[in-house]
Amino acid sequence: MNQTIYIAGKVTGELPEPTTDKFKKKQIELEGKGFDVVNPIEVVNNVNENWHTAMEMCLQALESCDAIFMVPCYVDSKGAKVELKRAKEMGIQIYYNLKEII
């Protein structure tokens, strides 16, 4: 059974198309490493969603994951930092770089 990994990174304030592409590319890379991937862009699936509602959806999705992958842009993201904090509270594996994943 594959582990499930959540992708965390900056979404709010970014252009929708390049952001969707960035997360999809990371999803494909992580799937190539054998993970089932939870992509927050697909979880919310609405660029106009209220931030708080979107965060609730994403945090709920994170609850079912075994790991989280922090896209480098997370450092500029309030939401991704909230997700990282939750991941630490959950005690799941945190990855910051694809090279860390065997």
Side-chain angles (χ1 to χ4, degrees), residues 6-24:
Y6 182 94
I7 305 170
K10 185 166 176 54
V11 176
T12 302
E14 300 293 295
L15 294 172
E17 190 172 320
T19 303
T20 298
D21 292 347
K22 173 176 61 178
F23 276 77
K24 189 62 170 176

Side-chain angles (χ1 to χ4, degrees), residues 8-67:
K10 185 166 176 54
V11 176
T12 302
E14 300 293 295
L15 294 172
E17 190 172 320
T19 303
T20 298
D21 292 347
K22 173 176 61 178
F23 276 77
K24 189 62 170 176
K25 180 179 183 242
K26 197 57 64 184
Q27 178 179 346
I28 291 166
E29 290 172 341
L30 290 164
E31 287 171 344
K33 296 279 192 175
F35 286 97
D36 293 327
V37 179
V38 175
N39 182 336
I41 303 293
E42 295 174 358
V43 169
V44 176
N45 198 27
N46 177 358
V47 296
N48 297 312
E49 186 61 75
N50 171 280
W51 185 86
H52 293 285
T53 302
M55 281 306 305
E56 283 300 317
M57 295 167 72
C58 289
L59 290 171
Q60 185 174 352
L62 177 60
E63 291 292 327
S64 66
C65 295
D66 305 298

